[in-house]
């Protein structure tokens, strides 16, 4: 099942996208896609509900804005340097343990909303990523149990301001959390939709030029390893997002580096998770 949310920003409604691309409003189901939905039996109950109610669900026109496909989660945890080739282009050694950092949930926007280049930024960069949505509370889980805590997967562009991230004092979070720096979607694919999240192609274009083109098989730490590791340090709540890192081809890795400017168009996708598109605009 593919979960969407649509409509005016901050007033989105829940929906689903069928395999044929048709989008349906499921507001009558009575639940939005939040911690309660993912942590309970919301996914199962929605599937059952659709069997009897799909025909009565209003269709959502394709030209209506899509929002992020879940309500604001408690946290976004990102894994840095999790593709071997990306670590190499960044001039950094492969990490011995997952490199963790947070991204503010206030950065979340819809998949096709504009990217706002922050005030004073000259080094705003792109990062296509596969993100995991947690479906069951996780604390001190083993790698063997970890996948039982996954609700689904979503496309994420982990935008980064490299000066804020790397050249200013403090932690990476400052370069990761600017408004609009976390476009999610177009949909969350529930776990059953993705047979193997470790063999997915992912790509990103800037102004039509392919700059990132890789596969999740290049992970340094796979999804069970990552979930288990993170859960040793914090409780993962239903709806939380783990963004699994970006492959080679980010702007920082070019010689000289390449960064986004107003008017640039960024397009990206992950196999089985659709595509998104952001237009860069000045603050």
């Amino acid at each position: 099942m593919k979960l969407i949310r649509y409509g005016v920003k901050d007033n989105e409604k829940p929906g689903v996208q069928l395999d044929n691309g048709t989008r349906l409003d499921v507001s009558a189901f009575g639940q939005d896609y939040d911690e309660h939905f993912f942590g309970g039996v919301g996914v199962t109950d929605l599937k059952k509900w659709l069997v009897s109610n799909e025909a009565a669900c209003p269709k959502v026109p394709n030209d209506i804005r899509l929002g992020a496909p879940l309500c604001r989660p408690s946290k976004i945890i990102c894994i840095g340097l999790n593709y071997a080739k990306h670590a190499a282009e960044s001039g950094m050694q492969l990490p011995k343990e997952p490199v963790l950092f947070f991204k503010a949930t206030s950065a979340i926007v819809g998949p096709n909303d504009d990217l706002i280049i922050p005030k004073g930024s000259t080094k705003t960069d792109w990062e296509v990523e596969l993100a995991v949505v947690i479906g069951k509370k996780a604390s001190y889980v083993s790698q063997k149990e970890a996948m039982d805590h996954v609700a689904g997967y979503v496309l994420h562009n982990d935008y980064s301001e490299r000066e804020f991230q790397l050249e200013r004092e403090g932690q990476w979070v400052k370069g990761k959390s600017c408004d609009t720096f976390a476009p999610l979607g177009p949909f969350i694919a529930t776990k059953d939709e993705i047979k193997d999240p470790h063999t997915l192609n992912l790509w990103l274009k800037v102004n039509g030029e392919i700059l990132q083109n890789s596969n999740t098989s290049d992970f340094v730490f796979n999804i069970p390893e990552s979930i288990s590791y993170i859960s040793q340090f914090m409780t993962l709540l239903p709806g939380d997002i783990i963004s699994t890192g970006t492959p080679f081809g980010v702007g920082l890795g070019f010689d000289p580096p390449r960064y986004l400017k107003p008017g640039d168009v960024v397009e990206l996708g992950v196999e089985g998770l659709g595509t998104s598109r952001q237009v860069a605009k000045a603050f």
Side-chain angles (χ1 to χ4, degrees):
M1 187 163 55
K2 298 179 178 68
L3 307 176
I4 65 168
R5 296 174 73 248
Y6 75 95
V8 178
K9 183 174 172 57
D10 299 324
N11 194 30
E12 293 92 346
K13 297 180 179 179
V16 296
Q17 180 173 306
L18 305 180
D19 290 340
N20 63 7
T22 300
R23 295 169 178 167
L24 301 178
D25 181 309
V26 296
S27 299
F29 174 66
Q31 271 192 269
D32 207 344
Y33 303 145
D34 55 14
E35 180 179 341
H36 178 71
F37 175 86
F38 289 111
V41 290
V43 172
T44 300
D45 283 353
L46 178 56
K47 286 181 179 179
K48 292 177 181 177
W49 183 87
L50 280 168
V51 171
S52 302
N53 294 278
E54 180 179 317
C57 291
K59 290 186 178 180
V60 178
N62 288 334
D63 60 353
I64 288 185
R65 171 188 176 271
L66 290 178
L70 77 172
C71 297
R72 186 176 294 171
S74 80
K75 50 190 172 291
I76 304 173
I77 310 103
C78 300
I79 303 174
L81 304 175
N82 199 34
Y83 284 76
K85 293 178 183 177
H86 174 50
E89 75 170 350
S90 300
M92 300 181 184
Q93 293 183 341
L94 286 181
K96 296 178 180 178
E97 297 183 35
V99 176
L100 303 183
F101 59 91
F102 284 104
K103 195 176 187 87
T105 57
S106 55
I108 293 175
V109 289
N112 304 309
D113 289 345
D114 291 335
L115 164 70
I116 305 302
I117 297 175
K119 184 184 293 187
S121 168
T122 59
K123 298 181 179 181
T124 294
D125 204 348
W126 54 84
E127 297 189 23
V128 60
E129 303 201 6
L130 167 68
V132 179
V133 180
I134 295 297
K136 185 170 67 171
K137 186 177 179 179
S139 179
Y140 297 108
V141 300
S142 67
Q143 293 184 30
K144 184 178 179 180
E145 300 169 322
M147 295 303 286
D148 295 336
H149 294 261
V150 173
Y153 305 94
V154 65
L155 170 63
H156 175 217
N157 194 343
D158 176 25
Y159 281 113
S160 308
E161 213 297 336
R162 300 303 189 185
E163 180 186 355
F164 300 174
Q165 176 192 359
L166 302 172
E167 300 173 32
R168 304 279 290 271
E169 295 292 334
Q171 299 180 344
W172 288 6
V173 65
K174 295 200 300 285
K176 296 287 186 172
S177 296
C178 304
D179 290 350
T180 74
F181 268 29
L184 294 172
F187 53 77
I188 292 171
T190 52
K191 187 167 62 172
D192 58 296
E193 294 264 341
I194 303 296
K195 292 182 179 179
D196 184 359
H198 300 101
T199 59
L200 301 178
N201 294 319
L202 66 171
W203 56 270
L204 182 143
K205 299 178 184 178
V206 177
N207 299 328
E209 179 185 2
I210 293 181
L211 299 180
Q212 292 187 278
N213 189 13
S214 189
N215 190 282
T216 56
S217 61
D218 193 38
F219 277 158
V220 178
F221 302 102
N222 65 29
I223 292 170
E225 290 172 324
S226 299
I227 292 173
S228 177
Y229 181 84
I230 295 168
S231 77
Q232 309 307 307
F233 303 100
M234 68 193 80
T235 296
L236 293 167
L237 297 177
D240 281 356
I241 294 168
I242 298 173
S243 203
T244 58
T246 199
F248 68 96
V250 299
L252 176 67
F254 286 90
D255 185 15
R258 299 169 61 174
Y259 297 115
L260 294 168
K261 59 186 184 301
D264 285 343
V265 178
V266 182
E267 300 168 278
L268 59 151
V270 174
E271 183 180 352
L273 297 176
T275 63
S276 68
R277 179 181 184 271
Q278 298 94 46
V279 177
K281 295 188 176 181
F283 179 83

